[in-house]
Amino acid sequence: MITRRSALSVTLATGGAALTGAGLTPLLAAHVRAQPTTANAPAPPGTVAKFQRPMPLLPEKKPAGRTGTSDVYVMTMKPARAQILPGPPTDVLTYDGHFPGPVIRARAHHPVVIRQRNRLTVPTAVHLHGAAVRPDSDGDPMDVIEPGTDRVYHYPNRQPHAPLWFHDHAHHLEAENVYRGLSGSYLLTDATERALPLPRGRYEVVIALRDARFDDGNQLAYAMGDRARNTLLANGVPYPYFQVAARKYRLRLLNASNQRRFDLRLADNSPLTQIGSDGGLLTAPHTTDHIAMSAGERADIVVDFSRYPVGTSVVLKNTTGTGPAEETGEILRFDVVRTAHDPSRIPARLRTLPPLPRPATERTVVLRMDEGGEHPGAYIDEKEYDPQRVDAQIKFNTSEIWTVTNANARAEHNFHLHLVQFRVLERAGRPPGPGESGLKDTIHLAPGETVRLQAVFDSYRGRYLYHCHMFEHGVRGMMATMHIR
Ligand code: C2O
Ligand code: CU
Ligand code: CU
């Protein structure tokens, strides 16, 4: 039997198509894929064969109904089995049976109500990351949905467009619950975004990236702080290919990993245009050759595949983080398979952001964890999370500058504020790069680094979290509470 690898090398040797540039490879897979016997060829032991399956599009969740004012959804958290690897299916935890969860599309000033039904055996709490919602709909870790019960969350959507993310947040369980699948996308749009001639419809694609480690039985292996999660998934499939037309695509990227940071680039180093970040569009597009995303960050990019001849492909690479390059150095492959009309454009101005008000207060936040030891502690301002304690008192309707420092010499962290989208004023003493100059809710901090950010607390009063979004650091204690009053 001919293996896929040898089929590829045979085709290469006979020179079916010319190489068109460094990192750009002729698309050979079409006829290979047509041979069913080779499609599921076993991978060498310990690794997962790449570019064997298409990247699925995440299903869009439709409202169960509409009241005069709101879209009403009913979602069920339930166990399911996903065909992730060749061989036995993987047990996963899901929203509505999907791994990862579905996409909800919402419009600004048009409220969404979601009844979440917990049909799992663990408590859950659903957090809409990046959203301004009342405290009782924020999915607070102590405010859980017990197995067999339901809870209704209210999302007023009184904020500009943004690629939001819903995920589990149940205290001490969130890291494992999200790892096992409790993650979904929530794309909030508004008139500003809709007026732009950006790629849309089938040319606007959500890609949820993450890592995982599987055991010999194809089950997700979970261990706190595991540094061997070396299988990369895009929309729940390891190293998929994605067939595209030779035109512009808007890719809405989410790093849904527990800890892993990605630094993404196209294998031929050709340009990517970043148009948005956590809190929606940047003020102007920014052309770069790489996009770094720590856990929880989102990036909105446009890739123009018209530069590639039909019949070629280009790999999306990752150039940072732990693991052998063979496993963690490539994520997915774009196969350019047809031409298409492209009326889309990237305007030179995407949005305006309001000027920042004068800050009422400045405060500092220090993130640190023990490096080494069997059960390393993780702290904000040298304290472990205590849900009873308020760590920051904030006056409603004021603006604050927070100076956040990663006090570790080796460990990376990032920093997430619930409730608000903030602006980055400085990173390591310098103005933020263009990709970080829009609205953000999560920001990476390299060892020893300091970031200054400014937020306005004018939406809701009450208690909200701030924490490192490397979930296992949060579980270990790197989480705190602010009280806006
Ligand atoms: Cu993604 Cu506390 O949140
Ligand atoms: Cu959040
Ligand atoms: Cu951390």
Side-chain angles (χ1 to χ4, degrees):
M1 187 188 83
I2 187 165
T3 67
R4 182 175 172 280
R5 257 160 222 266
S6 59
L8 279 173
S9 52
V10 165
T11 317
L12 269 172
T14 55
L19 281 164
T20 47
L24 181 62
T25 52
L27 172 56
L28 309 165
H31 75 280
V32 176
R33 258 182 255 125
Q35 301 172 22
T37 51
T38 61
N40 292 317
T47 65
V48 180
K50 290 178 182 164
F51 317 133
Q52 302 287 297
R53 284 169 58 197
M55 182 182 78
L57 299 180
L58 300 179
E60 272 185 29
K61 173 89 177 158
K62 292 289 165 238
R66 294 197 159 86
T67 68
T69 54
S70 311
D71 284 355
V72 180
Y73 292 84
V74 179
M75 198 171 308
T76 305
M77 290 173 266
K78 57 183 177 189
R81 300 187 133 185
Q83 193 68 52
I84 300 174
L85 301 172
T90 304
D91 293 321
V92 290
L93 308 183
T94 70
Y95 293 109
D96 273 355
H98 303 296
F99 179 85
V103 178
I104 290 176
R105 287 190 179 264
R107 285 169 293 154
H109 305 290
H110 197 91
V112 162
V113 174
I114 305 184
R115 171 176 292 275
Q116 289 281 5
R117 307 167 68 233
N118 182 357
R119 301 299 178 262
L120 299 167
T121 57
V122 288
T124 59
V126 184
H127 172 56
L128 184 57
H129 177 128
V133 305
R134 283 176 30 166
D136 56 3
S137 278
D138 199 43
D140 187 87
M142 309 311 290
D143 197 3
V144 297
I145 318 173
E146 293 297 342
T149 68
D150 298 4
R151 165 153 199 153
V152 177
Y153 291 90
H154 293 267
Y155 302 130
N157 298 323
R158 260 183 259 137
Q159 67 187 91
H161 70 269
L164 307 179
W165 174 36
F166 58 98
H167 65 74
D168 193 64
H169 220 312
H171 193 36
H172 288 311
L173 298 171
E174 68 269 43
E176 183 163 358
N177 282 351
V178 176
Y179 181 77
R180 296 198 181 281
L182 292 181
S183 165
S185 287
Y186 184 109
L187 300 179
L188 177 60
T189 191
D190 63 7
T192 303
E193 184 185 45
R194 277 199 306 270
L196 299 176
L198 296 167
R200 62 180 71 214
R202 62 194 293 206
Y203 304 112
E204 180 200 9
V205 179
V206 177
I207 306 182
L209 302 172
R210 59 164 293 178
D211 61 3
R213 181 164 67 87
F214 295 91
D215 67 18
D216 292 344
N218 281 359
Q219 299 309 307
L220 281 164
Y222 181 77
M224 280 272 280
D226 190 351
R227 311 229 344 137
R229 295 173 186 150
N230 291 338
T231 301
L232 304 186
L233 310 179
N235 289 352
V237 168
Y239 318 105
Y241 62 84
F242 184 53
Q243 294 189 331
V244 294
R247 54 154 286 160
K248 289 189 283 303
Y249 279 70
R250 179 179 183 186
L251 305 178
R252 313 202 64 176
L253 308 175
L254 158 68
N255 181 356
S257 304
N258 278 34
Q259 317 225 66
R260 179 178 292 278
R261 179 166 173 261
F262 290 110
D263 199 352
L264 308 171
R265 61 174 64 233
L266 293 167
D268 64 347
N269 291 320
S270 62
L272 310 162
T273 304
Q274 184 175 4
I275 58 168
S277 61
D278 305 336
L281 294 166
L282 303 174
T283 56
H286 148 240
T287 300
T288 177
D289 57 6
H290 74 111
I291 299 282
M293 299 174 77
S294 67
E297 285 186 288
R298 287 87 72 209
D300 217 330
I301 65 172
V302 173
V303 180
D304 190 351
F305 294 104
S306 71
R307 68 169 84 97
Y308 303 114
V310 169
T312 61
S313 64
V314 63
V315 168
L316 184 68
K317 299 204 316 182
N318 169 43
T319 60
T320 194
T322 52
E326 160 92 343
E327 291 179 89
T328 61
E330 295 182 320
I331 298 180
L332 66 93
R333 188 182 68 192
F334 297 105
D335 293 348
V336 184
V337 297
R338 62 190 173 89
T339 56
H341 174 62
D342 187 0
S344 72
R345 270 188 318 111
I346 308 175
R349 297 297 302 172
L350 296 167
R351 81 185 302 179
T352 52
L353 289 172
L356 283 163
R358 178 189 295 277
T361 309
E362 295 218 18
R363 67 178 80 230
T364 59
V365 175
V366 177
L367 311 177
R368 191 186 70 79
M369 72 186 293
D370 300 331
E371 293 186 350
E374 223 192 302
H375 300 288
Y379 318 93
I380 289 187
D381 296 330
E382 297 304 318
K383 289 181 286 237
E384 288 188 350
Y385 175 60
D386 174 354
Q388 305 308 325
R389 190 182 65 224
V390 171
D391 300 280
Q393 297 277 2
I394 295 170
K395 215 162 147 225
F396 182 71
N397 232 339
T398 64
S399 176
E400 296 201 355
I401 291 179
W402 291 31
T403 300
V404 186
T405 298
N406 173 354
N408 277 99
R410 295 199 309 272
E412 298 188 24
H413 299 296
N414 71 10
F415 185 70
H416 169 52
L417 273 170
H418 281 217
L419 182 69
V420 291
Q421 293 288 339
F422 53 76
R423 302 285 297 277
V424 181
L425 305 178
E426 272 174 27
R427 168 182 289 288
R430 294 212 297 275
E436 293 186 330
S437 61
L439 295 172
K440 294 283 292 167
D441 56 45
T442 307
I443 187 92
H444 177 251
L445 287 146
E449 203 167 36
T450 293
V451 165
R452 290 180 82 224
L453 55 90
Q454 184 170 354
V456 183
F457 298 90
D458 61 355
S459 56
Y460 296 99
R461 296 169 202 261
R463 293 181 180 214
Y464 296 89
L465 294 176
Y466 54 100
H467 57 91
C468 176
H469 216 291
M470 296 168 75
F471 274 121
E472 284 133 3
H473 296 184
V475 169
R476 291 199 152 111
M478 200 178 287
M479 192 150 75
T481 302
M482 57 184 172
H483 191 175
I484 299 134
R485 52 203 293 183

